[in-house]
Amino acid sequence: MTARIDPAAVTPELLGLTRRLGLPERDLVILAEGNTSELVDPTTMVVKASGSSMAEAGPEDFVSVDVPRLLELLRSPEADQHALTTALTAGKAGGRTVRASIESLVHAAVRAFGTARFVAHTHPTQVVALLASAEAEQAFAEPVYSEEFMILGRSMYVPYAQPGMELGRVFLAELDSYVQRNGELPSLVLLGNHGIVAISDTAAGAEAISLMAVKSARVRLGARAAGGVAPLSPETIAGYFDRPDFRERRATLAGTSG
């Protein structure tokens, strides 16, 4: 079975991260938007169930899924949305069908290239405003302040794709290209007309990335209102990733491998 109900597999770290990202005052998600996951062993991740609220999530609102099986579906030309729905269905509990999030393929795709422990997907209003604009692809292409670059690193943009098999496949292909270019996973993925994906080895890092993305959107929107965005020049940020102090601080705050 690809998916199963296993509340005991839900860690306090995953539960805490999910609830904090779901706080209404943070405006990252509303209703049943968003999802989080944790890689609990090399082949298993625990991901939020479809239709459940992040702010009110409990252990029963998560599903354990087999990562290799989802990656097999992603890479199979014959796999369709019905096959995905079947793979994500864990069974029934409390009179309802429990199914892992339709965006579980995004979480699985991340684990195809690394063992990042936490992945958090949210839909922050101000970030989505930029990702729904005519300049979406370039909106976050260049950093505009140093702390942003430290926490978010080199972000990755993914054009809009319908959630499910389509998004999963596009996400996997874009991630493959990114890793080949940069030799590592991105910390922040920007989904056109959709939302963001934060990738980190720590719950605190996934939260920091999510919140910094929101600040970065606010800064850009404010700069536009004040006459236009003036990004940091390539010369200014050249060599940042080669500096030990930069890598150490980034590892601490963003939960990277350093």
Side-chain angles (χ1 to χ4, degrees):
M1 181 181 290
T2 303
R4 57 195 179 279
I5 301 170
D6 185 12
V10 182
T11 66
E13 290 88 352
L14 178 61
L15 198 56
L17 171 65
T18 305
R19 288 174 175 171
R20 291 192 302 274
L21 294 180
L23 291 172
E25 60 268 28
R26 287 183 159 177
D27 192 29
L28 297 172
V29 295
I30 63 169
L31 304 175
E33 284 184 341
N35 35 80
T36 53
S37 72
E38 180 181 4
L39 191 68
V40 294
D41 67 44
T43 63
T44 307
M45 68 178 183
V46 176
V47 63
K48 189 182 80 74
S50 178
S52 60
S53 164
M54 289 179 68
E56 301 172 356
E60 69 281 0
D61 294 310
F62 291 84
V63 174
S64 292
V65 297
D66 183 71
V67 175
R69 173 56 182 149
L70 291 185
L71 291 176
E72 181 184 337
L73 280 177
L74 258 183
R75 292 164 172 154
S76 170
E78 290 78 32
D80 57 15
Q81 195 62 38
H82 176 71
L84 175 61
T85 298
T86 300
L88 298 179
T89 301
K92 289 189 176 291
R96 68 183 181 97
T97 299
V98 179
R99 184 176 295 121
S101 168
I102 193 174
E103 287 159 340
S104 294
L105 289 182
V106 166
H107 296 258
V110 170
R111 277 66 187 234
F113 300 96
T115 56
R117 184 178 169 191
F118 293 96
V119 174
H121 169 50
T122 57
H123 305 164
T125 300
Q126 288 161 313
V127 180
V128 175
L130 288 171
L131 295 178
S133 74
E135 302 171 16
E137 187 170 358
Q138 296 302 316
F140 291 84
E142 299 172 295
V144 297
Y145 57 100
S146 58
E147 199 74 2
E148 170 192 47
F149 194 46
M150 181 178 296
I151 304 302
L152 302 184
R154 306 177 185 94
S155 62
M156 182 181 101
Y157 177 80
V158 177
Y160 182 80
Q162 190 176 93
M165 292 300 300
E166 183 183 345
L167 175 57
R169 285 171 173 149
V170 171
F171 190 95
L172 183 69
E174 294 288 344
L175 202 55
D176 187 16
S177 296
Y178 180 99
V179 172
Q180 288 190 43
R181 288 194 310 272
N182 299 292
E184 62 180 1
L185 284 166
S187 293
L188 175 70
V189 180
L190 302 152
L191 305 177
N193 295 85
H194 188 156
I196 65 173
V197 179
I199 302 169
S200 178
D201 289 327
T202 68
E207 184 175 3
I209 292 161
S210 301
L211 297 180
M212 189 62 77
V214 174
K215 177 179 178 179
S216 294
R218 289 174 178 163
V219 168
R220 283 166 171 77
L221 290 169
R224 287 184 177 190
V229 178
L232 297 176
S233 69
E235 293 76 21
T236 299
I237 61 176
Y240 265 22
F241 280 86
D242 297 325
R243 284 174 44 176
D245 61 325
F246 184 90
R247 293 200 309 270
E248 181 181 353
R249 185 164 167 76
R250 176 164 158 71
T252 300
L253 296 176
T256 66
S257 56

